[in-house]
Amino acid sequence: MAHPTIADLFKSQPIDSTVTLRGWVRTLRNDQFLSVSDGSTIRTMQIVVNKEQHGESTLKRLQTGASVAATGKVQKSLGKGQDIEIICDTLEILGDCDPNEYPIQMKRHSLEFLREKAHLRFRTNTFGAVFRIRHHLAFAIHKFFNDRGFYYLHSPIITGSDAEGAGEMFRVTNLNPEEIAAKGSVDYSEDFFGKPTNLTVSGQLEAELAALALGKVYTFGPTFRAENSNTSRHLAEFWMIEPEVAFNDIVDNMDLGEDCLKFCIQYALDNCKDDLEFLQERELNEDKQKPVDDRQSMPLLERLNMIVSNEFERITYTEAIDILLNSNHFKKKKFKYPVEWGIDMQSEHERYLVEKHFQKPVIITGYPAAIKAFYMRMNEPDEQGRKTVAAMDILVPGIGEIIGGSQREERYEMLREKCAQFNIPEDHIWWYLETRKFGTCKHAGFGMGFERLIMFVTGMSNIRDVIPFPRTPQNAEF
Ligand code: 4AD
Ligand code: MG
């Protein structure tokens, strides 16, 4: 291997062979032990240099962040903390890094500070670990679905439809805003697509069209929501995975969601051990600064292992509301928002159920029809005549909702009725309705927020720290 990475070297341990390693300086200790990282692993390589051979002026330039190429023999290390090291023969400094200007020094920086330096934060241990894990999880998603015979579908990013009916969309246009303002009105027939279009909020409707022929499909792409929610769990641009399966019902859908989550977590446990151990240590240190109540009840790896080895709890919305109403938390008036049948549960309610009551992931089904999207399948009214849909949300500790999905309304007349109720003109969605006319069948699917999955696996508590360049209200830097 002409240019092995640090990961390659630790794996193959080519003792006595001469290699050239290229990377970035972390530290230089005693003018002798140079620690270099190259992004291939969280581990650094120790390069043994010496003043006589490489010259004092070169050693002075070995500042944190400088890029170097070091050639030398791989040896078993005598020092503690690493099994091998490189005894440096020739040392080349590829790019200097002025310590007076470089903001990323070998001390703890706050995550808030690093968000402002998102172009450089990849260079820290924390973000290196997070983005390596992000890659492995993306790979795990594709592996999970490919292994099960799903086809990866590329749904459009520019669309004329509003899948979720929530209306929080980014407009796509090439009309000139100044001209529109001068005219005082917009003529969409003059717009690029000849009609109003937006960035997609979900690929689901298109995935349904494909599933009703290909059987099992999934999308995995960026989605956009112009909701003005400045929380640690919302982004304006996030990545979503949306499987859709013909002939599946809501129970099959729950099984698929639970299996998919467990598979991804197990994949990370098997393939990202060093990075997860680093993040676990990091979290333990952070927790020491926090009040006892805010600390994690279990270390990261234990939490992840617990998820993969236990069944998720499955309850109905009605049961969830009963649990909340009977809780001491409710009786002591500790919930900020009201609790009664029909509410759209707030994150305090979801977190109570998952973190306090069950202390494990929970799948809630049978939500009130009025608070869910038009495409969800109507259930028979309950004993009290209340209308619910075959919806499911999967909630996990520390995050809340990680998956949202449903069995779809496959009955033509029923779906038309729902469109009317939700004020969706049939001539906007005729193509979706047609699938219910031509060989309709039951089918189901869900959406999993990719960043929420990464948060859960890494233990990172702010969604802005698991996507390279977060887009949030008032922020589209880099
Ligand atoms: O619950 P949502 O809105 O469901 C849908 O979009 C459906 N069309 C999915 C489907 O059935 N195919 O979103 C699905 C998931 C949520 O559970 C959450 O994990 C994530 O997407 N999500 C967000 N993640 C980050 N930032 C946001 N603003 C998000 N909104 C939703
Ligand atoms: Mg949802």
Side-chain angles (χ1 to χ4, degrees):
M1 224 178 289
H3 290 294
T5 63
I6 295 176
D8 295 332
L9 292 173
F10 278 121
K11 199 163 167 216
S12 62
Q13 309 241 343
I15 305 294
D16 284 341
S17 56
T18 297
V19 299
T20 298
L21 181 72
R22 300 174 298 185
W24 294 271
V25 173
R26 281 296 169 90
T27 52
L28 175 63
R29 220 165 18 96
N30 299 340
D31 273 354
Q32 199 182 359
F33 302 111
L34 180 67
S35 142
V36 168
S37 67
D38 72 352
S40 61
T41 155
I42 190 126
R43 303 175 71 179
T44 53
M45 181 61 75
Q46 175 155 292
I47 312 232
V48 184
V49 296
N50 75 65
K51 221 188 259 177
E52 288 71 54
Q53 190 181 348
H54 300 110
E56 198 167 347
S57 62
T58 306
L59 295 204
K60 274 221 176 78
R61 292 169 60 201
L62 293 174
Q63 299 289 343
T64 300
S67 54
V68 295
T71 303
K73 242 188 197 162
V74 178
Q75 295 284 282
K76 274 239 163 295
S77 179
L78 301 174
K80 271 203 217 125
Q82 68 276 327
D83 4 316
I84 54 171
E85 61 193 15
I86 295 174
I87 310 297
C88 189
D89 194 11
T90 56
L91 178 66
E92 190 187 347
I93 294 178
L94 305 172
D96 284 292
C97 189
D98 182 351
N100 297 317
E101 281 189 63
Y102 187 50
I104 313 291
Q105 291 303 322
M106 291 303 294
K107 59 164 196 165
R108 229 192 111 268
H109 293 293
S110 75
L111 296 174
E112 291 78 14
F113 170 82
L114 291 170
R115 248 170 253 151
E116 312 263 294
K117 306 270 179 280
H119 60 309
L120 299 172
R121 69 177 177 170
F122 297 105
R123 300 168 181 221
T124 63
N125 278 331
T126 299
F127 287 96
V130 166
F131 292 119
R132 277 188 294 272
I133 293 172
R134 187 178 168 112
H135 159 80
H136 285 292
L137 286 173
F139 196 81
I141 296 281
H142 286 299
K143 180 163 170 53
F144 176 82
F145 288 111
N146 183 63
D147 287 355
R148 284 158 187 75
F150 283 66
Y151 296 111
Y152 179 26
L153 182 82
H154 297 105
S155 48
I157 289 174
I158 301 175
T159 162
S161 84
D162 171 10
E164 288 307 297
E168 288 155 335
M169 301 181 298
F170 289 102
R171 256 305 148 69
V172 175
T173 178
N174 69 343
L175 293 176
N176 181 328
E178 278 102 45
E179 276 171 30
I180 296 174
K183 262 202 223 158
S185 67
V186 191
D187 179 359
Y188 285 108
S189 69
E190 287 174 7
D191 202 352
F192 189 89
F193 296 106
K195 65 174 202 172
T197 51
N198 52 274
L199 293 176
T200 186
V201 295
S202 157
Q204 177 198 322
L205 301 193
E206 292 86 355
E208 280 187 57
L209 310 181
L212 292 172
L214 294 167
K216 295 188 270 190
V217 300
Y218 70 106
T219 72
F220 186 177
T223 43
F224 307 87
R225 300 208 180 162
E227 47 195 346
N228 199 4
S229 35
N230 240 319
T231 78
S232 58
R233 295 179 177 75
H234 289 88
L235 290 166
E237 176 180 295
F238 65 99
W239 287 65
M240 183 153 58
I241 297 105
E242 297 186 274
E244 193 69 37
V245 185
F247 312 111
N248 263 13
D249 64 16
I250 188 74
V251 177
D252 303 321
N253 207 32
M254 287 191 265
D255 292 343
L256 185 68
E258 180 168 343
D259 287 351
C260 180
L261 265 174
K262 286 179 170 170
F263 179 90
C264 291
I265 294 166
Q266 187 62 54
Y267 189 89
L269 286 167
D270 294 342
N271 292 278
C272 311
K273 192 160 166 284
D274 291 351
D275 286 327
L276 286 173
E277 277 170 359
F278 170 82
L279 290 170
Q280 165 167 287
E281 243 353 84
R282 180 185 178 280
E283 185 183 82
L284 290 171
N285 286 329
E286 294 276 297
D287 270 8
K288 284 184 197 147
Q289 333 280 327
K290 290 185 186 164
V292 176
D293 271 0
D294 295 351
R295 293 182 195 169
Q296 292 288 350
S297 55
M298 266 183 246
L300 180 62
L301 287 158
E302 226 173 284
R303 294 205 300 277
L304 297 177
N305 275 307
M306 200 199 74
I307 302 292
V308 289
S309 50
N310 284 291
E311 309 254 283
F312 293 6
E313 195 68 38
R314 298 181 181 197
I315 59 169
T316 64
Y317 171 90
T318 303
E319 286 164 342
I321 295 293
D322 284 344
I323 291 170
L324 294 173
L325 288 173
N326 287 316
S327 68
N328 278 330
H329 212 76
F330 177 75
K331 289 173 186 156
K332 290 187 186 153
K333 301 196 173 5
K334 283 198 189 156
F335 289 120
K336 202 169 132 213
Y337 293 91
V339 180
E340 60 181 333
W341 201 96
I343 57 160
D344 198 356
M345 274 187 265
Q346 299 292 319
S347 99
E348 58 169 354
H349 304 134
E350 298 182 337
R351 296 189 75 155
Y352 177 84
L353 290 168
V354 174
E355 285 157 32
K356 296 269 173 350
H357 191 83
F358 289 111
Q359 298 180 326
K360 60 166 160 165
V362 179
I363 311 183
I364 304 181
T365 51
Y367 282 83
I371 58 167
K372 288 290 187 185
F374 78 98
Y375 51 70
M376 297 190 178
R377 192 178 198 282
M378 288 297 286
N379 291 325
E380 290 298 315
D382 71 6
E383 313 84 63
Q384 296 168 52
R386 294 176 302 204
K387 287 183 181 164
T388 61
V389 284
M392 65 159 209
D393 275 4
I394 304 188
L395 316 178
V396 294
I399 308 283
E401 181 189 334
I402 193 164
I403 282 179
S406 71
Q407 187 172 332
R408 316 308 188 188
E409 185 54 79
E410 86 284 12
R411 295 162 296 184
Y412 183 59
E413 288 307 332
M414 198 70 107
L415 187 58
R416 288 185 63 198
E417 215 171 283
K418 283 299 273 294
C419 288
Q421 278 170 24
F422 281 75
N423 292 319
I424 302 169
E426 287 194 17
D427 61 352
H428 280 196
I429 198 144
W430 59 273
W431 43 272
Y432 186 70
L433 287 167
E434 276 201 350
T435 56
R436 273 58 172 176
K437 263 195 340 195
F438 305 139
T440 193
C441 65
K442 71 178 177 194
H443 60 286
F446 61 79
M448 170 156 73
F450 188 48
E451 284 74 22
R452 297 211 184 156
L453 172 68
I454 303 167
M455 287 174 78
F456 187 65
V457 170
T458 59
M460 298 298 284
S461 55
N462 194 312
I463 199 164
R464 293 167 180 81
D465 297 329
V466 299
I467 189 163
F469 301 104
R471 269 63 181 117
T472 51
Q474 301 297 313
N475 173 46
E477 207 54 51
F478 307 104

